[in-house]
């Protein structure tokens, strides 16, 4: 089993309905390709005249290596996002998101940061805090942090 984990910046902020609409077809394709995974849409609401403050994606694709890489090539070319960074790719013993043809969760960057803080500092210490979404995005370049966040989000959805 092969996994590819990437982060990207959203170009437009899609509503939940719009996200579900484009994911319908993605899920069908993933089912055909034996791919499972999770897509976390981190977004902060509009501020002033800006349509949205920040929006980015964290996605894990797991399945046969060739299918995962081919799917990622298509996703990479998608105009809905930019600045894609693969934070991890490689073999794993088993699927973490079995049963999900692409599970979607949305949360603010603040909520994501709180989960990251909880996972990385379970006991004590000063809470990890920032009101700059770019800080959360930067943290997710660490594969351990990105994976831990996706796993805890998945656990909450079960
Ligand atoms: C954040 C994001 C996640 C996506 N995830 C998937 C996915 O898991 N599987 C998939 O087939 N397409 C996914 N897509 C859609 C692909 O980029 C592409 O638009 C779709 O597969 C249609 O490709 P086609 O026009 O060549 O048929 C995703 C797109 C974005 C922006």
């Amino acid at each position: 089993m092969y996994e590819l984990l990437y982060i990207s910046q959203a170009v437009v902020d899609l509503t939940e309905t719009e996200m579900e609409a484009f994911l319908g077809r993605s899920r069908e394709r993933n089912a055909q390709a034996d791919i499972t995974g999770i897509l976390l849409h981190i977004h902060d609401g509009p501020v002033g005249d800006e349509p949205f403050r920040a929006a980015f994606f964290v996605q894990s694709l797991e399945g046969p290596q060739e299918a995962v890489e081919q799917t990622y090539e298509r996703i990479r070319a998608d105009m809905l996002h930019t600045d894609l960074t693969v934070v991890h790719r490689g073999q794993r013993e088993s699927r973490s998101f079995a049963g999900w043809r692409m599970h979607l969760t949305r949360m603010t960057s603040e909520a994501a940061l709180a989960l990251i803080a909880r996972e990385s500092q379970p006991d004590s210490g000063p809470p990890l805090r920032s009101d700059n979404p770019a800080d959360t995005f930067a943290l997710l370049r660490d594969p351990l942090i990105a994976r831990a966040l996706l796993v805890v989000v998945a656990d909450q959805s079960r």
Side-chain angles (χ1 to χ4, degrees), residues 66-130:
E66 211 181 302
V68 166
E69 290 289 350
Q70 277 172 7
T71 301
Y72 177 67
E73 278 309 304
R74 262 191 294 114
I75 294 174
R76 199 158 68 98
D78 201 307
M79 307 292 279
L80 286 175
H81 57 178
T82 181
D83 193 17
L84 279 80
T85 305
V86 174
V87 296
H88 173 79
R89 53 165 36 114
Q91 300 292 336
R92 291 189 71 84
E93 272 194 10
S94 61
R95 293 178 193 256
S96 304
F97 311 109
W100 275 325
R101 290 310 175 185
M102 195 45 63
H103 179 66
L104 172 68
T105 303
R106 285 154 62 92
M107 63 176 59
T108 63
S109 59
E110 209 181 332
L113 195 60
L115 283 178
I116 292 169
R118 206 186 69 187
E119 289 306 297
S120 56
Q121 304 168 322
D123 301 327
S124 58
L128 203 54
R129 231 180 242 151
S130 165

Side-chain angles (χ1 to χ4, degrees), residues 6 8 14 19 22-23 25-30 35-37 39-40 57-61 71-81 101-102:
Y6 76 85
S8 67
L14 300 179
M19 289 288 299
F22 98 76
L23 271 184
R25 187 161 153 69
S26 297
R27 289 190 179 117
E28 278 171 29
R29 296 187 82 137
N30 292 350
I35 288 175
T36 52
L39 174 62
L40 177 59
F57 296 111
V58 189
Q59 186 173 28
S60 166
L61 299 159
T71 301
Y72 177 67
E73 278 309 304
R74 262 191 294 114
I75 294 174
R76 199 158 68 98
D78 201 307
M79 307 292 279
L80 286 175
H81 57 178
R101 290 310 175 185
M102 195 45 63

